[in-house]
Amino acid sequence: RTKAAMVTLLRRNPEIQPLLAILQVKRQKDTCRINYFDICKELLKLNNDPKVHGVYLHLPAASLTSRVLGALNPEKDVDGTTDLNMGRLVRGDASEGFVPPVAGAVLDLLGKHDAPLKVKSVLLVGGEGPLRLALQCLIERSGVEVNTSHWNSKSLQTQVHLHLFSNLTVKESNVIHSCNRWIQNQQYRPWRLRSLKLLPLTPVPSDIEISRAQTPKPVDQLAEEIGLLPEELEAYGRNKAKVQLSLLDRLHSQPDGNYVLVAGITPTPLGEGKSTVTIGLVQALSAHLKLNSFACLRQPSQGPTFGVKGGAAGGGYAQVIPMEEFNLHLTGDIHAITAANNLVAAAIDARMLHEATQSDKALFNRLVPTVNGVRTFSPIQISRLRRLGISKTEPTSLTPQEVSAFVRLDLDPSKITWQRVLDTNDRFLRKITVGQASTEKGQIRETGFDIAVASEIMAILALSDSLKDMKDRLAHMVVGTSRSGGPVTAEDLGVSGAVAVLMKDAIKPTLMQTLEGTPVFVHAGPFANIAHGNSSVLADKLALKLVGRDGFVVTEAGFGADIGMEKFFNIKCRASGLRPNVVVLVATVRALKMHGGGPNVSAGAPLPREYINENLSLVAGGCHSNLKKQIQIAHLFGVPVVVALNVFKTDTRAEIDLVCQIAKTCGASDAVPCHHWSQGGRGCLELAQAVKEATRRPSNFQFLYPTEMPIVEKIRTIAQKVYGANDMELSPEAKSKIDYYNQQGYGSLPICMAKTHLSLSHMADKKGAPTGFILPIRDIRASVGAGFIYPLVGTMSTMPGLPTRPCFYDIDLDPDTEEITGLF
């Protein structure tokens, strides 16, 4: 029967070979010196090896301690001896685990007895531990009376001459059963999502009060509900976990779900609620319409969290919870990026110092030291030799000229493009001088800091589709130019492997949940004005597989559609190969009034009365200018648009109706009011239905420009078609950079504009839809590893500053309860 089962398994799955791993002591004399730590370590390896379907512990009985048995995965325990498998057997739930194979074989033989067993009684002689317990449970469950006796009974010793021993052959059945179960587990699992009840209060409490009032599900429970396997989860406490990228391999044949992008009109400095709309939409889809849906959000930067804008967990009854964990540190991805980025910066300055103060020979002796009498190149040094055209691998065989070329990067201090980063808004780090200590021997130069999420490493994290892809991109990062005019990369510095090590956990998206218990991936960072500002390719791809063909993945692009959405289409979609089905364009009456001619809106200042009282003319002006233009931008890419009006309590019915009416006349497929802030998912049902309907319509997606178009023309195309400029103007420095990038072969990279988010133009005070302006390009950088050219528009800074009264004035900690106050 086991052979027949094996034949059937291999016929259906020819690429799989059932495998039993046997763990045993090498020599009998070693039994007294068994290292239990080594046994447990080996068991953990076998547990995590998907090619191993069963593990047999062929160890002395004294070695089978609770510690050893506890280290064995019950799903691979083909002997059925772990506590969980024995507990399942005693409870009568053996179908989920494994029965000791000898016990199963005995019961099978008894079942073939000529007479019905129920009229018989069974005498169980000898044996102890799991085998005896298993036999007794199984036989009694068959309705047979069981008596037991020990071998040391004198009468038995004279009458019975039978001894059962465990035979490896009978374990094969459990191995095949385990393999079949493993194959079944690899299939897509339908969701069994249990949503959390929401009881909205009026008036709506503060965000942090709402977050604390809801008890999130344990993250492992959420993972099980959405079809993740336990081994695909790396828990970071009770409420969040990293998800293994192996999920993509397991579900590679699973069709993707519907792909929804949330963008917005040009915002006020207060933000217009794209995150809350994103969360409200998935809460409506999953908790109320019972459709699989996933939100993919970006990790907040501590810059705005402690600066002006606050956190990014959503708000009201549309939040990611716990909001404190979401907004502060999360799983450390941004800290990893900061460490990796600054390691590269430190490597640059250290290398320039050592090259300036040492001879070729001294550099070579230190870069390729003799260890135990042997001198060898490291793998990353071999790669540098190959790029130099040197095929030698023996250090002593290099000529003096080859040694010099190998050890000298000869970086030009005035052409270093790599800056240090910090995840804090600190305007005084925009320009600094380093190397002033006497120990740096006069190696002084000007440099600066960027906000951490503007690091090229963040862009690489967001655009990579595998660990290997990320490692390759990190190696290709250009940090500066040599005095001879050649690019110098992170791999040339010898640091790219170490950077990949710092980033190996950050590449995995973080799983969290909304207030209504629906799943959220948090990955990559914000700031679409100075970075590409979208959630990661990997988070979107994982979510699209998990939701299934009829599900929805709602991903978010930063700031207005002119910035975040344009970069999503032209950069992220090129990298991922994914194509969105619909764009949700978020608008507010407040922002529309500003674009219709209302007074300035400033963070921390009371809103002028025009924003509190009904004013239909201002609303109409904003709709016919900025809203209309942003809808047109989405249509440039051939994607249908649904306008989501994020309703505030000061909005009137007439204003809401006017926005929805004008949005439809401007080309939106639909336009609906959203009340998720006060009602949760129920307040977003109309939007969910509109999105569901829009995804059924054909999407004629197209890119704005071909990558083969010259850099200047790509920039001009964005300036004219997206921003509404008459033309653009390059500074002399930008022109020379473009010439250099073309010479180096970077001309076919897409464009990532660094521009203010407060206007369609480069002038933050120009609201509505400005026209007739010339877009000034001050400088251009190349993020070669990330894969885009990075023009700086106007006076755009890559390090924000703090306002007069930052958010941190209101943030505090109760030392008795450890509760945080003031976060929003």
Side-chain angles (χ1 to χ4, degrees):
R1 188 175 59 193
T2 300
K3 288 181 179 179
M6 173 76 87
V7 169
T8 301
L9 187 152
L10 294 177
R11 186 176 66 248
R12 293 175 179 172
N13 307 275
E15 74 284 357
I16 293 174
Q17 177 67 48
L19 181 64
L20 173 68
I22 303 172
L23 195 63
Q24 58 185 181
V25 181
K26 290 181 180 178
R27 296 180 300 277
Q28 193 63 32
K29 65 179 183 180
D30 292 337
T31 56
C32 60
R33 295 186 287 108
I34 292 176
N35 187 323
Y36 293 104
F37 175 79
D38 288 341
I39 293 176
C40 294
K41 186 168 72 171
E42 195 64 35
L43 282 175
L44 290 175
K45 288 181 185 177
L46 296 172
N47 288 344
N48 295 326
D49 188 346
K51 295 179 181 178
V52 174
H53 303 106
V55 177
Y56 170 40
L57 299 179
H58 190 222
L59 299 170
S63 302
L64 297 176
T65 63
S66 58
R67 180 181 173 188
V68 169
L69 291 174
L72 175 59
N73 181 355
E75 306 301 320
K76 297 187 177 184
D77 170 30
V78 293
D79 235 10
T81 55
T82 59
D83 292 346
L84 180 59
N85 279 328
M86 292 305 302
R88 285 169 170 167
L89 179 63
V90 172
R91 194 179 62 192
D93 205 10
S95 61
E96 292 186 13
F98 288 109
V99 173
V102 170
V106 169
L107 198 72
D108 195 39
L109 289 171
L110 289 175
K112 295 177 181 178
H113 200 274
D114 293 339
L117 284 180
K118 289 188 178 180
V119 300
K120 303 287 185 179
S121 62
V122 171
L123 177 63
L124 190 60
V125 182
E128 59 181 15
L131 177 58
R132 177 171 180 163
L133 176 61
L135 276 169
Q136 186 170 347
C137 287
L138 289 171
I139 295 171
E140 286 179 344
R141 197 160 292 123
S142 300
V144 179
E145 180 186 350
V146 178
N147 297 304
T148 61
S149 180
H150 295 287
W151 280 114
N152 59 8
S153 169
K154 290 182 179 179
S155 60
L156 283 172
Q157 286 178 350
T158 60
Q159 299 173 33
V160 181
H161 304 283
L162 174 67
H163 177 61
L164 286 174
F165 60 92
S166 181
N167 189 312
L168 188 60
T169 304
V170 298
K171 300 183 193 302
E172 290 179 1
S173 176
N174 277 357
V175 176
I176 295 170
H177 181 48
S178 173
C179 185
N180 277 317
R181 184 185 293 168
W182 179 84
I183 292 169
Q184 184 63 34
N185 284 341
Q186 300 307 299
Q187 307 305 309
Y188 177 79
R189 295 180 170 190
W191 283 23
R192 300 191 302 273
L193 188 69
R194 182 183 66 84
S195 59
L196 301 177
K197 288 186 178 179
L198 206 57
L199 300 172
L201 301 176
T202 304
V204 177
S206 70
D207 291 350
I208 201 163
E209 288 173 320
I210 293 171
S211 176
R212 286 190 183 140
Q214 184 69 288
T215 302
K217 294 178 283 190
V219 71
D220 56 346
Q221 177 187 328
L222 173 65
E224 184 180 0
E225 290 176 355
I226 62 174
L228 286 166
L229 303 179
E231 58 266 27
E232 292 169 340
L233 212 64
E234 295 178 13
Y236 281 63
R238 182 182 183 277
N239 302 311
K240 55 189 182 294
K242 290 283 193 182
V243 174
Q244 293 277 3
L245 304 186
S246 59
L247 173 67
L248 286 175
D249 295 326
R250 178 168 71 86
L251 299 181
H252 71 278
S253 60
Q254 170 70 14
D256 289 346
N258 297 290
Y259 197 27
V260 180
L261 173 67
V262 176
I265 65 170
T266 304
T268 68
L270 308 176
E272 308 316 307
K274 289 191 308 301
S275 297
T276 61
V277 170
T278 300
I279 297 162
L281 175 54
V282 295
Q283 288 181 174
L285 287 165
S286 289
H288 298 273
L289 297 183
K290 305 305 179 185
L291 298 168
N292 295 352
S293 74
F294 232 111
C296 292
L297 301 176
R298 300 157 297 156
Q299 181 184 347
S301 162
Q302 288 182 179
T305 299
F306 293 101
V308 175
K309 198 165 175 276
Y317 288 101
Q319 291 189 55
V320 179
I321 56 172
M323 66 98 76
E324 303 102 304
E325 294 185 28
F326 181 90
N327 286 319
L328 301 173
H329 307 299
L330 196 65
T331 47
D333 292 357
I334 293 180
H335 298 316
I337 288 165
T338 302
N341 185 101
N342 293 344
L343 178 62
V344 176
I348 292 169
D349 286 314
R351 186 59 174 264
M352 288 197 299
L353 168 68
H354 295 312
E355 287 188 22
T357 56
Q358 297 180 48
S359 65
D360 290 353
K361 182 178 179 181
L363 276 170
F364 189 72
N365 288 339
R366 288 180 171 89
L367 287 171
V368 193
T370 300
V371 179
N372 297 326
V374 179
R375 173 179 282 184
T376 58
F377 291 117
S378 66
I380 203 166
Q381 290 175 328
I382 295 288
S383 296
R384 172 159 171 76
L385 288 169
R386 295 292 177 269
R387 288 194 303 280
L388 292 171
I390 301 171
S391 59
K392 299 173 183 176
T393 57
E394 174 57 47
T396 57
S397 66
L398 267 62
T399 66
Q401 293 78 14
E402 290 171 337
V403 167
S404 182
F406 171 75
V407 301
R408 298 211 173 270
L409 302 179
D410 201 24
L411 274 160
D412 185 340
S414 66
K415 292 183 179 178
I416 292 171
T417 54
W418 196 266
Q419 302 210 114
R420 289 167 171 83
V421 299
L422 186 70
D423 196 33
T424 302
N425 290 358
D426 192 344
R427 65 178 71 246
F428 283 89
L429 292 178
R430 290 171 178 168
K431 181 175 282 190
I432 62 169
T433 304
V434 295
Q436 296 192 78
S438 59
T439 51
E440 274 52 77
K441 302 177 182 178
Q443 298 298 308
I444 297 172
R445 70 180 183 91
E446 279 192 353
T447 181
F449 274 75
D450 296 329
I451 190 81
V453 292
S455 169
E456 182 176 355
I457 296 176
M458 173 62 87
I460 288 173
L461 174 72
L463 295 172
S464 298
D465 63 10
S466 67
L467 188 60
K468 182 182 184 305
D469 183 33
M470 183 182 74
K471 186 179 177 184
D472 291 342
R473 288 173 180 265
L474 292 171
H476 294 142
M477 294 186 303
V478 174
V479 301
T481 306
S482 68
R483 286 186 173 88
S484 62
V488 177
T489 67
E491 192 173 39
D492 289 325
L493 280 168
V495 74
S496 58
V499 170
V501 168
L502 288 171
M503 293 295 296
K504 76 176 182 66
D505 292 320
I507 196 174
K508 304 165 193 170
T510 299
L511 177 67
M512 294 188 76
Q513 63 192 283
T514 69
L515 278 166
E516 298 193 55
T518 66
V520 178
F521 274 142
V522 189
H523 207 210
F527 285 112
N529 55 346
I530 56 177
H532 102 294
N534 283 271
S535 62
S536 75
V537 165
L538 280 169
D540 290 359
K541 285 190 170 185
L542 289 168
L544 284 165
K545 294 298 182 187
L546 283 169
V547 297
R549 186 195 303 273
D550 299 321
F552 293 82
V553 171
V554 185
T555 192
E556 182 188 5
F559 293 126
D562 57 304
I563 312 178
M565 185 186 73
E566 181 271 316
K567 294 174 182 178
F568 173 87
F569 288 138
N570 283 322
I571 298 175
K572 184 177 177 180
C573 287
R574 289 185 201 270
S576 69
L578 301 173
R579 302 292 182 262
N581 300 90
V582 62
V583 168
V584 173
L585 190 66
V586 178
T588 62
V589 167
R590 176 180 67 193
L592 291 169
K593 286 180 175 179
M594 179 187 72
H595 291 298
N600 286 336
V601 175
S602 301
L607 281 174
R609 59 183 178 83
E610 288 87 347
Y611 296 98
I612 299 169
N613 301 327
E614 183 177 287
N615 192 317
L616 297 179
S617 64
L618 288 180
V619 172
C623 287
H624 287 298
S625 57
N626 197 269
L627 178 61
K628 180 180 179 180
K629 177 63 176 175
Q630 301 285 17
I631 293 172
Q632 290 172 345
I633 294 171
H635 286 164
L636 287 173
F637 298 92
V639 183
V641 177
V642 173
V643 171
L645 182 64
N646 186 14
V647 176
F648 293 1
K649 61 184 178 180
T650 54
D651 300 346
T652 68
R653 170 50 58 187
E655 290 173 331
I656 293 169
D657 291 343
L658 181 62
V659 173
C660 294
Q661 175 192 338
I662 296 176
K664 292 175 187 176
T665 62
C666 290
S669 300
D670 206 344
V672 296
C674 301
H675 302 273
H676 49 278
W677 184 80
S678 58
Q679 300 175 23
R682 190 171 301 280
C684 233
L685 278 172
E686 198 175 350
L687 176 62
Q689 294 286 10
V691 167
K692 183 181 175 185
E693 182 62 31
T695 56
R696 294 173 181 164
R697 299 179 182 178
S699 174
N700 302 309
F701 180 81
Q702 61 184 9
F703 293 114
L704 186 65
Y705 54 79
T707 53
E708 298 76 24
M709 183 183 283
I711 293 175
V712 172
E713 292 308 313
K714 284 183 282 198
I715 298 172
R716 180 174 285 116
T717 298
I718 296 172
Q720 294 177 336
K721 292 188 177 182
V722 177
Y723 305 154
N726 269 7
D727 203 351
M728 60 90 184
E729 184 177 51
L730 297 171
S731 70
E733 184 177 3
K735 288 180 181 177
S736 65
K737 290 276 189 73
I738 288 175
D739 292 339
Y740 175 72
Y741 295 148
N742 284 329
Q743 178 189 346
Q744 296 300 325
Y746 306 148
S748 62
L749 296 177
I751 304 297
C752 182
M753 303 285 275
K755 181 188 77 71
T756 179
H757 61 290
L758 297 173
S759 172
L760 281 161
S761 73
H762 61 286
M763 300 166 283
D765 59 335
K766 300 296 182 183
K767 307 303 180 183
T771 57
F773 61 92
I774 304 296
L775 191 76
I777 307 299
R778 171 171 54 91
D779 192 10
I780 295 184
R781 301 174 186 172
S783 293
V784 178
F788 53 72
I789 299 292
Y790 180 18
L792 297 172
V793 179
T795 57
M796 194 68 213
S797 172
T798 52
M799 169 57 86
L802 289 171
T804 305
R805 193 185 190 282
C807 298
F808 61 62
Y809 274 88
D810 301 311
I811 298 172
D812 205 352
L813 178 71
D814 186 320
D816 297 323
T817 64
E818 295 188 13
E819 283 195 346
I820 297 167
T821 58
L823 274 179
F824 68 96

